[in-house]
Amino acid sequence: HSPSKFADARLIRFADDFVIMARDIDDRMIKWVEEKIEGWMGLSINREKTKVIMAEQHGTTLDFLGYSFRYDQSLRSKQGRYWNRIPSKKSLKRFCARIHEITSNDFSPIGVVIIRLNRFMRGWSNYYGTGYPSRTFNALNHYVRRIWKFLRHLSQRPFKPPEGMSWYEFIYKKFKLYQVKPKPKTCVQALR
């Protein structure tokens, strides 16, 4: 019998990465998976990346495809929990490194830098915009505001926004810098 029958298991796969979610993972399940992958398919399992976790335990996180999946406390009830999906710590580090790379080039005109930033952040926002990433996205938008450091170093004289305009207005309204934001919930998501 397959684990879908005896353990109520589900396979989630993307290219050569996969996660098996089941109510109970025991030796019989592990043996079955190893036999199918290594024996029948002729593939090898990366033992360093492979682990068994109990997702319902507090503080347990599953990192998969750039996301961290975990149970979080419900904002609506004290006892309730929900399966949350946010960008992983590794993804956040890559985001900050890329923003630093884009804004560290002192020789590019501000318009070119904004275009590069917008292209990167729009793609990042589209990939990670589902789930409940608002808190993370707010922190990332704050990090992106380092663009003012880039502007200050463009010239030997200190750069300031025009009279009567804040840095926020200058960067987001005049230059139209994109802000990462969650995708709007659809009717189907709102009903769940």
Side-chain angles (χ1 to χ4, degrees), residues 91-143:
S91 297
L92 297 175
K93 283 182 183 177
R94 281 197 309 262
F95 177 92
C96 292
R98 181 70 177 127
I99 295 298
H100 182 75
E101 179 185 318
I102 293 169
T103 58
S104 294
N105 184 351
D106 290 344
F107 304 109
S108 296
I110 185 63
V112 172
V113 172
I114 296 289
I115 288 169
R116 287 181 188 152
L117 279 171
N118 284 349
R119 187 178 308 140
F120 171 70
M121 292 192 310
R122 194 168 280 120
W124 209 88
S125 184
N126 284 336
Y127 183 75
Y128 291 103
T130 59
Y132 300 95
S134 296
R135 189 175 294 159
T136 303
F137 280 13
N138 289 340
L140 294 176
N141 285 327
H142 182 73
Y143 183 79

Side-chain angles (χ1 to χ4, degrees), residues 13-173:
R13 181 183 72 87
F14 182 81
D16 63 343
D17 292 331
F18 66 90
V19 172
I20 298 173
M21 298 178 76
R23 294 204 183 282
D24 183 38
I25 297 180
D26 57 9
D27 290 337
R28 181 170 68 155
M29 165 81 117
I30 293 169
K31 184 179 175 192
W32 189 91
V33 170
E34 286 175 348
E35 283 176 7
K36 289 296 176 192
I37 291 175
E38 293 181 328
W40 184 67
M41 297 174 129
L43 301 172
S44 60
I45 297 173
N46 184 341
R47 305 281 181 211
E48 289 148 20
K49 289 174 68 178
T50 303
K51 60 184 177 180
V52 175
I53 64 166
M54 302 304 288
E56 292 181 345
Q57 289 179 347
H58 182 72
T60 303
T61 303
L62 167 68
D63 289 340
F64 185 60
L65 301 177
Y67 282 98
S68 286
F69 296 89
R70 65 180 188 218
Y71 274 104
D72 279 341
Q73 184 69 42
S74 173
L75 299 175
R76 296 184 181 164
S77 76
K78 298 269 187 212
Q79 292 81 24
R81 295 181 349 153
Y82 66 100
W83 189 236
N84 196 5
R85 175 181 63 224
I86 58 172
S88 68
K89 289 180 181 177
K90 197 173 177 182
S91 297
L92 297 175
K93 283 182 183 177
R94 281 197 309 262
F95 177 92
C96 292
R98 181 70 177 127
I99 295 298
H100 182 75
E101 179 185 318
I102 293 169
T103 58
S104 294
N105 184 351
D106 290 344
F107 304 109
S108 296
I110 185 63
V112 172
V113 172
I114 296 289
I115 288 169
R116 287 181 188 152
L117 279 171
N118 284 349
R119 187 178 308 140
F120 171 70
M121 292 192 310
R122 194 168 280 120
W124 209 88
S125 184
N126 284 336
Y127 183 75
Y128 291 103
T130 59
Y132 300 95
S134 296
R135 189 175 294 159
T136 303
F137 280 13
N138 289 340
L140 294 176
N141 285 327
H142 182 73
Y143 183 79
V144 170
R145 290 186 195 121
R146 71 185 310 277
I147 188 80
W148 71 270
K149 290 181 183 178
F150 171 82
L151 290 170
R152 282 192 355 205
H153 291 98
L154 275 180
S155 160
Q156 292 175 348
R157 287 176 277 152
F159 184 87
K160 295 181 197 168
E163 189 72 32
M165 191 178 265
S166 69
W167 275 107
Y168 183 88
E169 291 172 317
F170 185 66
I171 292 170
Y172 292 109
K173 294 197 174 145

